[in-house]
Amino acid sequence: MTESSAQSPRRRVYLVDGSGYIFRAFHAIPVHSFVRADGVHTNAVNGFCMMIQSLVERAEADAETDYLAVIFDAHRENFRNEIYPEYKANRSDPPEELVPQFALIREATRAFNLPCIDMEGFEADDLIATFARMAVAEGIEVVVVSSDKDLMQLVGDSVEMFDPMKDRRIGPAEVEERFGVGPERVVDVQALAGDSTDNVPGVPGIGVKTAAELINTYGDLETLLARAEEIKQPKRRQNLIEFADLARVSRRLVELRADAPVEERIEDFILKKPEPETLLAFLRGQEFRTITARFEARFAAEGRIEAPADDSPPPSENAYELVQTRAALADWIARAHLAGAVTVDIETTSLDAMRAELVGVSLAIEPGRACYIPLAHKGAARQGELGLGDAGGGEADEAGDAPEQIPMAEALALLKPLLEDESVLKIGQNIKYDMLVLSRPAYGIDIRPIDDTMILSYVLEGGLHGHGMDELSRLHLGHETIKFKDVAGAGRAQVTFDHVPLEAARDYAAEDAEITARLHAILKPSLVRGHMVTVYETLERPLVPVLVAMERAGILVDVAELRRLSEDFAARIADLEGQIHGLAGHPFNIGSPKQLGEVLFDEMGIEGGKRGGKTGAYTTGADVLEGLAAQGHDLPARVLDWRQLAKLKSTYTDALVRDINPETGRVHTSYAMAVASTGRLSSTDPNLQNIPVRTEEGRKIRRAFVAAPGMKLLSLDYSQIELRLLAHVAGIDALKDAFRDGVDIHALTASQVFGEPVEGMSAETRRRAKAINFGIIYGISAFGLGRQLAIPQADAKAYISAYFERYPGIRDYMDAMRALARERGHVETIFGRRIHLPGIAEKNPARRGFAERQAINAPLQGAAADIIKRAMIRVPSTLARAGVGARMLLQVHDELLFEVPAAEVEATAAAVGAVMEGAARLSVPLVVEAGSADNWAEAH
């Protein structure tokens, strides 16, 4: 290199894998989030625009980046199909919602004033390889913007890759980590391993890891094939010899062409700013309000257009107000009344709604405008721990006096009429938490009516992604929210929100409300387009106040009984430890999977040990231990007992004492509404749904849940609801007749499958039929049934075959659900709830099989969840009409638990039982079983 060239400025080109961007954008943003008025889906276009803008901003900030181009595939067919006609033949057609977006994304690229490149007969990867070669020849550094493994062969001294989704650089070290070889040998490894996605055949029996070992040993593919006779493993040697030509064909398929006859030159890719009129016209045409507003503000700030008439700034430039006077608060309240809707979010000192202290309230009435009303902020004495400098705006003096804020009692008195006004909609993200905090006696506010963006997202996209505000903001708005740790610190330095400086608190809290308002504007209209209005309005939204009342009620526990159980469990755990150590011949850490695996499979020589994970330790999960115990091995059976007792002690008998609320003397579980894709509620903090009901230890724990003096616990439980739903949806006449006639369904199945008369049937025969009945619903395999019943797998397979022969409609139902899930990517309950199954298209057989089993069970489990929700929504008014003093405390799977005055048990059971049995009209009757007692175990 000459001195003059060494002095020349460095230049860099970004070559963007546009086709990769398209599919990432489509799968990152829910399909129904962006639909134009004419019905065209634009979710991928929206995501592409956000990703491209982010990349352009990155390039503009890099003084050495002068060029950028976006490269696309032209068509599926290219020169590789002449080499191997089956190339990519197994790829399914793109989703119908995506097809119209291909042309729109190219139009978007041009609207951003970026080169939009493709070429007939070549893939985008070949064009990227060609432009990369040209750039390196001109002394220009190359950044390939993609995470596609096929492009990793291009990485070298002047070429690197960049994964924008993970903000991760990919250089030679990362390539070697991925393939086990350097970039220059990637094509050899790929030629051997093949690629099922692109239908590249490779050599049977050779994966990436083995291919890397072979190439590292022999140097390259041709040398390996020439010396294949030297391979020691017979099957591997045979395959390398037999499929040598296929390996050579595979190499031609995966090797990128760097000589495509392109017309463009690198200088044609000079980075240019977008023309405001062109870009804004495109964005408005796609009805992208948020991105349009963002660019309007940017272009106006640059003086390239006049400031837009709409003064709502984009998310990055929100106008957030700190409300510290009664007059300012009164103004916000008046505007909320006029608007008829207001977004509400509260800040507290804890995530435990029953113990949290209110710190402040934020409101938003329109996108871009929000306020924060501090109510209980303390002084700035601890601000130094946050490293936030003067972020507090000087509201407090050095002595730590409280900053200026409206007295809480006065502020709540002003807010209460607004938050309880039936004519003003209150919008929140997980608003159940806000309702529960504010409804406590200390604050006395009953928020109504409500909408919830978390639940809206859950109804629309359950099973596809999480529904937290941060994730929804990224998905729908392309906006990264301020994180709690950014304002309150992290780890030991973290403070509660009442110690956060006011300006930082304002930006964090007001953003929560403002982003929620934006999400509501997107998600609520999507209910209509997604045909999910009924699910939201009849099953989810009206359930929120019901759950608030249940969580607030809590349930009483007998502390003395819990402590006695803890002592009993501790003694039994110690005894089991002694037995286990005796069987092993020495002490070891039973809680260590590594040590347990070594004892079982190395020291005791038990067969069947499998290593896994990063450490290579033996797997010792419950399924492994259960299998060993079924074979008659004592030590794994004792370990299972030890694990169960240890878990019950730590999770329940010890923890429940700590969970008792000191103000109420009760345990208050929280019900998560947007977790299970089937619609089931999830009990958390503490989880009261996972207490075993069929074991004696579980029943002992349930005995510690008791009624208050003068009260009884009343349990009402649906009988065999999922089997009844199976009979209904699958149209199984024999099962429907049995349920209508009140026949013992398990005895009937035993009679039908095993040919044994119902009269005088043994309990063991009925138990086997029961296992089949419930196992079929969950897609149980012959292996699983065999292990559950402790019978040979062949016998279990025969039982399942006999079952399907007797009830062929069940197999038809299962086949239909699997096919429907594969076609649509989701299944539905009889009430219209949509349960998405993204794993149904997985290449991995295990994950795909799991999704197929979900497809069978989810419509039944989801319908059962819907039915009990329908009943729960009707319970409060039913109790009021009956004039009884019962309170609904818990919902556990198919059971509702009430605390009832002792004299009103029968009246309550009759009233609620009628509601539950009438919650759905099926072709079979719903039956509810009731029981009451002083504790939960005896009531159930």
Side-chain angles (χ1 to χ4, degrees):
M1 182 181 289
T2 65
E3 183 176 345
S4 59
S5 64
Q7 300 290 331
S8 62
R10 296 170 65 179
R11 295 181 296 163
R12 185 174 293 123
V13 59
Y14 278 24
L15 300 174
V16 183
D17 175 12
S19 296
Y21 258 35
I22 290 175
F23 287 95
R24 279 196 165 192
F26 180 78
H27 292 293
I29 297 179
V31 173
H32 297 294
S33 297
F34 293 92
V35 184
R36 290 191 324 210
D38 60 3
V40 174
H41 290 81
T42 55
N43 63 310
V45 185
N46 183 277
F48 180 86
C49 289
M50 291 193 292
M51 293 161 69
I52 281 294
Q53 176 55 23
S54 176
L55 184 67
V56 169
E57 289 174 355
R58 182 187 182 95
E60 289 175 339
D62 182 357
E64 296 174 352
T65 300
D66 301 294
Y67 312 100
L68 190 151
V70 187
I71 296 102
F72 296 94
D73 290 324
H75 294 290
R76 182 174 295 184
E77 296 286 326
N78 58 74
F79 72 88
R80 289 179 175 82
N81 295 98
E82 298 174 8
I83 298 171
Y84 188 67
E86 292 82 12
Y87 178 67
K88 291 190 177 182
N90 59 348
R91 282 203 174 184
S92 58
D93 292 332
E96 59 178 321
E97 296 92 348
L98 177 58
V99 174
Q101 301 188 64
F102 289 130
L104 289 174
I105 285 172
R106 284 170 164 75
E107 188 180 341
T109 305
R110 290 186 283 268
F112 274 94
N113 211 7
L114 299 173
C116 178
I117 312 296
D118 62 24
M119 176 177 283
E120 290 289 341
F122 291 87
E123 295 185 51
D125 292 358
D126 300 306
L127 304 185
I128 290 172
T130 300
F131 290 128
R133 174 188 58 78
M134 293 165 55
V136 171
E138 296 178 32
I140 300 172
E141 294 182 356
V142 178
V143 176
V144 177
V145 183
S146 176
S147 62
D148 189 345
K149 66 182 187 303
D150 295 337
L151 288 163
M152 291 184 180
Q153 60 188 270
L154 302 179
V155 171
D157 292 339
S158 297
V159 181
E160 68 175 33
M161 292 175 64
F162 172 66
D163 181 352
M165 301 298 284
K166 297 182 179 178
D167 194 24
R168 174 175 176 259
R169 172 191 173 276
I170 301 173
E174 288 74 20
V175 173
E176 188 162 355
E177 181 183 351
R178 171 71 173 78
F179 283 100
V181 297
E184 69 282 357
R185 290 291 172 239
V186 164
V187 289
D188 291 336
V189 169
Q190 288 183 299
L192 288 168
D195 187 339
S196 59
T197 303
D198 290 343
N199 210 30
V200 175
V203 175
I206 294 182
V208 171
K209 185 177 180 180
T210 302
E213 292 174 357
L214 292 169
I215 295 301
N216 283 325
T217 300
Y218 292 92
D220 58 51
L221 180 67
E222 283 302 328
T223 302
L224 168 65
L225 296 177
R227 298 170 59 186
E229 293 284 359
E230 301 175 13
I231 302 298
K232 295 180 180 179
Q233 297 86 348
K235 186 63 176 178
R236 187 179 300 173
R237 179 176 64 246
Q238 179 185 344
N239 284 347
L240 284 169
I241 294 170
E242 182 178 348
F243 297 100
D245 289 342
L246 210 53
R248 294 185 177 97
V249 168
S250 297
R251 195 183 195 285
R252 292 175 65 194
L253 294 177
V254 298
E255 186 173 26
L256 300 182
R257 289 272 300 270
D259 60 349
V262 295
E263 298 179 359
E264 297 84 3
R265 295 293 174 259
I266 301 300
E267 289 301 323
D268 298 331
F269 302 159
I270 192 76
L271 194 57
K272 302 173 186 176
K273 288 184 177 291
E275 293 296 330
E277 290 185 4
T278 303
L279 181 56
L280 291 176
F282 173 79
L283 296 174
R284 288 169 184 151
Q286 306 314 308
E287 302 169 14
F288 295 156
R289 292 189 297 257
T290 301
I291 302 180
T292 302
R294 185 178 299 146
F295 275 101
E296 286 176 339
R298 172 181 165 177
F299 292 145
E302 294 172 350
R304 302 176 70 193
I305 64 170
E306 293 184 8
D310 180 6
D311 62 352
S312 296
S316 59
E317 300 175 18
N318 287 321
Y320 294 156
E321 180 183 337
L322 195 60
V323 173
Q324 297 171 280
T325 67
R326 297 168 187 79
L329 177 55
D331 179 62
W332 273 91
I333 291 171
R335 283 190 283 151
H337 277 292
L338 287 173
V342 61
T343 303
V344 181
D345 186 66
I346 64 171
E347 300 302 333
T348 65
T349 57
S350 169
L351 294 176
D352 184 342
M354 289 300 296
R355 304 191 194 197
E357 296 177 8
L358 182 65
V359 176
V361 178
S362 50
L363 305 174
I365 299 171
E366 57 186 326
R369 301 290 181 201
C371 74
Y372 178 59
I373 310 151
L375 299 176
H377 279 261
K378 297 182 174 70
R382 295 170 64 185
Q383 288 176 11
E385 298 177 29
L386 302 178
L388 298 173
D390 295 326
E395 304 92 341
D397 62 26
E398 294 181 1
D401 291 339
E404 180 186 355
Q405 50 200 330
I406 307 167
M408 183 177 292
E410 295 182 25
L412 293 181
L414 290 170
L415 285 166
K416 182 179 173 70
L418 170 67
L419 299 180
E420 295 184 347
D421 189 338
E422 295 281 1
S423 67
V424 180
L425 179 66
K426 268 65 70 175
I427 301 161
Q429 166 76 15
N430 188 22
I431 201 169
K432 176 165 67 71
Y433 174 86
D434 308 69
M435 295 169 70
L436 191 54
V437 172
L438 291 177
S439 65
R440 284 164 45 198
Y443 309 117
I445 295 176
D446 180 17
I447 301 178
R448 61 178 187 270
I450 56 100
D451 253 353
D452 193 319
T453 49
M454 179 186 74
I455 301 173
L456 284 166
S457 174
Y458 174 65
V459 167
L460 289 164
E461 306 283 352
L464 291 181
H465 54 76
H467 307 282
M469 193 193 72
D470 292 347
E471 185 169 353
L472 296 181
S473 179
R474 284 192 297 270
L475 280 174
H476 298 288
L477 306 174
H479 176 68
E480 283 292 339
T481 56
I482 303 169
K483 304 302 183 287
F484 185 78
K485 66 180 180 180
D486 297 335
V487 298
R492 292 185 177 181
Q494 188 175 90
V495 298
T496 50
F497 203 77
D498 51 347
H499 286 284
V500 173
L502 284 197
E503 289 191 3
R506 173 202 62 200
D507 292 344
Y508 171 83
E511 182 189 62
D512 280 359
E514 196 270 339
I515 291 297
T516 300
R518 289 182 180 274
L519 291 172
H520 185 262
I522 293 170
L523 296 172
K524 190 67 181 285
S526 297
L527 286 178
V528 178
R529 292 191 292 265
H531 307 289
M532 289 287 110
V533 174
T534 301
V535 173
Y536 178 73
E537 295 292 353
T538 66
L539 292 175
E540 297 297 337
R541 183 164 77 152
L543 186 64
V544 176
V546 177
L547 294 178
V548 168
M550 290 170 62
E551 293 180 23
R552 190 169 56 230
I555 186 168
L556 198 63
V557 293
D558 185 335
V559 176
E561 178 66 11
L562 287 174
R563 287 179 174 151
R564 192 195 64 76
L565 280 174
S566 278
E567 292 173 1
D568 175 52
F569 287 170
R572 293 170 61 189
I573 289 169
D575 181 58
L576 282 167
E577 285 179 355
Q579 293 180 42
I580 292 166
H581 291 159
L583 289 167
H586 63 84
F588 70 96
N589 182 356
I590 303 170
S592 166
K594 181 176 183 296
Q595 292 185 35
L596 175 61
E598 290 169 353
V599 167
L600 289 172
F601 303 114
D602 290 342
E603 298 177 17
M604 301 182 70
I606 296 176
E607 295 183 358
K610 294 182 180 179
R611 297 182 183 271
K614 294 182 179 179
T615 63
Y618 288 109
T619 56
T620 58
D623 56 339
V624 173
L625 298 185
E626 286 169 1
L628 297 177
Q631 296 170 24
H633 297 290
D634 287 339
L635 192 146
R638 299 290 79 76
V639 171
L640 285 169
D641 294 339
W642 179 89
R643 283 183 180 178
Q644 182 191 44
L645 283 176
K647 182 176 181 181
L648 291 176
K649 183 177 184 297
S650 62
T651 306
Y652 294 110
T653 58
D654 290 349
L656 283 172
V657 175
R658 297 191 297 270
D659 288 328
I660 297 172
N661 186 293
E663 292 183 12
T664 66
R666 290 173 169 249
V667 170
H668 301 265
T669 188
S670 176
Y671 286 101
M673 298 182 67
V675 175
S677 61
T678 57
R680 280 190 179 272
L681 296 169
S682 297
S683 169
T684 63
D685 304 318
N687 181 349
L688 302 184
Q689 293 176 331
N690 283 358
I691 302 173
V693 69
R694 293 184 177 87
T695 67
E696 181 56 32
E697 288 78 13
R699 286 189 286 271
K700 286 179 180 178
I701 293 173
R702 287 188 170 213
R703 287 191 191 103
F705 290 83
V706 297
M711 309 289 279
K712 295 287 185 181
L713 291 184
L714 170 65
S715 169
L716 293 108
D717 194 2
Y718 281 114
S719 172
Q720 302 170 337
I721 188 170
E722 289 186 26
L723 281 175
R724 294 172 189 271
L725 284 164
L726 175 64
H728 172 76
V729 300
I732 312 301
D733 289 336
L735 294 182
K736 288 196 287 187
D737 290 342
F739 280 124
R740 281 194 290 260
D741 296 340
V743 173
D744 181 338
I745 197 68
H746 303 310
L748 174 68
T749 297
S751 176
Q752 299 280 2
V753 173
F754 305 131
E756 186 173 326
V758 173
E759 294 294 329
M761 180 178 290
S762 69
E764 175 61 21
T765 301
R766 184 182 182 280
R767 185 180 74 85
R768 292 186 176 191
K770 183 177 181 179
I772 298 174
N773 272 333
F774 287 113
I776 290 295
I777 296 176
Y778 288 89
I780 198 168
S781 64
F783 173 79
L785 182 63
R787 187 170 65 181
Q788 184 176 336
L789 296 178
I791 60 175
Q793 187 172 333
D795 290 352
K797 184 177 181 181
Y799 288 169
I800 293 174
S801 296
Y803 185 90
F804 283 135
E805 285 178 12
R806 185 62 191 84
Y807 303 123
I810 294 178
R811 185 184 288 279
D812 293 342
Y813 161 77
M814 296 168 71
D815 292 341
M817 287 300 101
R818 281 191 288 256
L820 189 68
R822 284 192 290 267
E823 177 188 343
R824 298 181 180 176
H826 69 263
V827 291
E828 292 185 3
T829 72
I830 55 176
F831 299 99
R833 181 185 300 280
R834 193 168 294 160
I835 302 161
H836 296 273
L837 303 168
I840 201 71
E842 278 277 358
K843 301 295 184 194
N844 182 291
R847 289 196 288 267
R848 186 175 64 251
F850 177 74
E852 289 177 347
R853 290 191 293 275
Q854 281 185 301
I856 295 165
N857 175 252
L860 306 177
Q861 190 179 111
D866 291 343
I867 287 172
I868 202 163
K869 283 181 176 181
R870 287 163 66 94
M872 292 169 70
I873 290 165
R874 299 170 188 176
V875 161
S877 59
T878 299
L879 295 177
R881 284 195 303 271
V884 294
R887 293 193 299 176
M888 186 159 53
L889 306 185
L890 298 179
Q891 186 269 321
V892 179
H893 305 312
D894 304 323
E895 175 191 9
L896 295 179
L897 188 69
F898 295 80
E899 189 172 50
V900 188
E904 297 175 357
V905 168
E906 289 187 13
T908 304
V912 177
V915 167
M916 293 176 68
E917 291 181 347
R921 292 184 178 180
L922 307 178
S923 54
V924 296
L926 286 174
V927 174
V928 172
E929 297 173 344
S932 64
D934 293 327
N935 65 68
W936 188 9
E938 294 175 10
H940 183 71

